Amino acid sequence: MTNGKDAETRKDDLRTGKPYWLTSSGISVPHRADPGRDRFEVIVVGAGISGALMAEALTRQGRKVLILDRRAPVSGSTPASTAMIQHEIDVPLTKLQAQRGARAANAAWRRSVAAVNDLVELAERLTINCQMQRKPALYLAGNQMDADDLADEAAARRKIGIRAELIDRATLKADYGMSRAAAILSPDSASANPAQLTAGLLRACRKRGALIAAPVEVTDMAELPGGVALATSDGRVLTADHAVFCTGYEFLPQMQTKSHHVTSTWALATGKIKNMPVWLKDTIVWEASDPYLYFRSDPSGRIIAGGEDEEALERNSDTKLLARKSKTIIAKLEKLTGLGVGPAEFAWSAPFSVTDDGLPIIDRVKAHDRVWAAMGFGGNGITFSMIAAQIVTAGIAGEKDPDAGLFRLR
């Protein structure tokens, strides 16, 4: 081992308030503190949505997998998600083309579309009861992109084979009751209950023989000839052929770069809305603004909304600020939709990481060949976690994913 700090990830209060998803049924997953043995093929660190998708892909390959977490499964950042499973990346295609070049930007956007479809099909194939529903996304003009910008964006998407319909002001008002200069309607997104989805994936892994050990804290790691050793805070040394860190915003210090940083975000769930418009039952909405508003409904008739992101990391832990942010989000939601939604019934806040180009970091950890990190940053965390599972499992199998280079550490 090294100096005892190589595998110490960031430690954060991953949320403040009470996320709505923690009231869901079917989100507990059997686990134990003692993994029972010391040798595995792959150790996945993290039992949230990223770790669950990673472990599912690995166990589908037939690998013997151990899943570790310093908390109980499904109790970290995952319940703080609004689970708007979008194919649209935070950085618009036209802007990403300018940042990364057309070839990389086009490939990243196409891969995001494919990942959403892959995830929906996976949940259906595993028959996970998680409210998974395909939904179109409505992207509204705002202070970051006006009607002309959205026209260019829609055209750029269509040019690379991504479906996108430009909606003008009159149609938007008539069909959705919202007054904005324009919007893009795209069909390839979805929504789900993130806690139920994660728990369902973990249970599928257990059926295939995976072990889930928690609470277990990894404190150090060393790469050995032909394997990896992870030391834990209780003095155990666990070994494997490979290790994958799916620890979200509590990332390894070796993976810190200038291209990403941790911010704060806020979210809420309203009470059940009477006479909810039909379109809102089937559509997710977000806007090209800073700060931006995003929202969708769930099958119970609530609206799940969020936004008001701030660059300051520690702001999310302020309970008084949480109350103010909730009121702001509700006011924006009511003004935009014309609906009387009342006060939030659930409200929460959390750390939130972003990258300059809106893309995740999926790569081997610096100076390691057998240790990977999946950092599904941005508003597409669940979508990016699906991509990470595909890229990392291919790499462990000795294969090369054609898009792996898009998401390398940068």
Side-chain angles (χ1 to χ4, degrees):
M1 297 294 175
T2 57
N3 61 5
K5 295 184 180 298
D6 248 22
E8 284 190 1
T9 60
R10 290 174 53 91
K11 291 183 180 180
D12 286 314
D13 293 327
L14 292 185
R15 57 179 190 271
T16 300
K18 184 179 181 181
Y20 168 52
W21 310 117
L22 291 179
T23 66
S24 305
S25 61
I27 63 172
S28 62
V29 181
H31 60 282
R32 63 192 190 199
D34 184 353
R37 63 177 192 269
D38 297 333
R39 177 70 190 181
F40 301 85
E41 285 187 73
V42 185
I43 297 174
V44 175
V45 184
I49 185 62
S50 297
L53 282 166
M54 188 69 64
E56 189 284 326
L58 290 163
T59 55
R60 195 167 2 114
Q61 287 183 340
R63 299 188 184 279
K64 293 180 174 61
V65 174
L66 171 65
I67 305 163
L68 304 176
D69 203 303
R70 58 165 58 124
R71 303 174 181 85
V74 202
S75 64
S77 292
T78 294
S81 170
T82 55
M84 286 175 46
I85 306 172
Q86 292 178 252
H87 77 281
E88 294 172 294
I89 296 169
D90 282 351
V91 176
L93 175 60
T94 47
K95 294 185 178 181
L96 190 59
Q97 288 172 337
Q99 280 185 249
R100 294 285 302 269
R103 179 176 293 183
N106 297 349
W109 267 75
R110 282 194 289 254
R111 183 60 179 264
S112 188
V113 172
V116 172
N117 289 316
D118 290 343
L119 179 58
V120 173
E121 290 172 5
L122 176 63
E124 292 172 348
R125 188 166 64 250
L126 295 175
T127 62
I128 298 174
N129 182 16
C130 63
Q131 303 175 1
M132 181 66 77
Q133 182 182 355
R134 294 183 186 272
K135 290 183 177 180
L138 193 64
Y139 185 43
L140 304 174
N143 61 26
Q144 299 293 296
M145 297 187 79
D146 61 20
D148 290 339
D149 295 326
L150 291 190
D152 292 341
E153 176 71 13
R157 295 184 194 181
R158 291 193 298 268
K159 186 176 180 180
I160 66 169
I162 296 175
R163 292 176 290 176
E165 176 188 356
L166 184 68
I167 297 177
D168 62 22
R169 182 187 293 275
T171 304
L172 185 62
K173 184 66 175 177
D175 293 351
Y176 299 94
M178 293 184 289
S179 182
R180 287 292 175 91
I184 296 175
L185 183 66
S186 303
D188 294 302
S189 291
S191 68
N193 180 315
Q196 290 178 337
L197 173 60
T198 302
L201 290 165
L202 291 173
R203 286 194 290 267
C205 295
R206 289 186 77 249
K207 286 183 179 179
R208 297 171 184 160
L211 299 177
I212 303 174
V216 175
E217 175 129 23
V218 177
T219 57
D220 197 12
M221 68 182 177
E223 189 152 322
L224 312 171
V228 178
L230 301 182
T232 67
S233 59
D234 62 357
R236 183 185 292 270
V237 176
L238 304 170
T239 59
D241 298 333
H242 303 271
V244 189
F245 282 79
C246 301
T247 52
Y249 316 133
E250 295 184 308
F251 50 81
L252 289 165
Q254 300 96 314
M255 302 303 287
Q256 176 67 62
T257 72
K258 293 181 179 179
S259 71
H260 69 82
H261 56 283
V262 183
T263 64
S264 296
T265 192
W266 288 263
L268 59 83
T270 69
K272 296 180 181 180
I273 307 298
K274 295 181 179 179
N275 303 316
M276 182 180 291
V278 173
W279 71 264
L280 185 49
K281 296 179 182 179
D282 301 319
T283 309
I284 65 178
V285 184
W286 65 308
E287 59 177 351
S289 294
D290 184 18
Y292 71 115
L293 173 71
Y294 54 92
F295 59 95
R296 54 96 165 186
S297 67
D298 87 322
S300 75
R302 289 177 169 82
I303 295 176
I304 314 299
E308 292 300 299
D309 299 359
E310 291 190 11
E311 294 297 315
L313 163 62
E314 301 299 335
R315 296 274 281 172
N316 67 82
S317 60
D318 186 333
T319 55
K320 291 182 179 179
L321 182 60
L322 172 59
R324 292 199 300 271
K325 291 283 189 177
S326 297
K327 290 179 180 179
T328 299
I329 292 170
I330 288 290
K332 284 186 171 183
L333 182 60
E334 291 184 330
K335 181 179 180 180
L336 178 62
T337 65
L339 297 172
V341 301
E345 196 166 299
F346 300 86
W348 62 95
S349 54
F352 182 75
S353 286
V354 296
T355 55
D356 293 341
D357 57 13
L359 300 182
I361 295 171
I362 306 165
D363 204 352
R364 288 178 171 86
V365 173
K366 288 180 181 178
H368 294 77
D369 292 325
R370 294 175 172 269
V371 183
W372 297 75
M375 300 159 68
F377 291 161
N380 307 67
I382 296 177
T383 304
F384 289 158
S385 294
M386 186 70 194
I387 296 173
Q390 294 167 338
I391 288 175
V392 173
T393 52
I396 288 175
E399 302 167 358
K400 182 171 175 69
D401 187 289
D403 294 327
L406 300 173
F407 311 112
R408 291 219 169 99
L409 185 64
R410 54 198 182 281

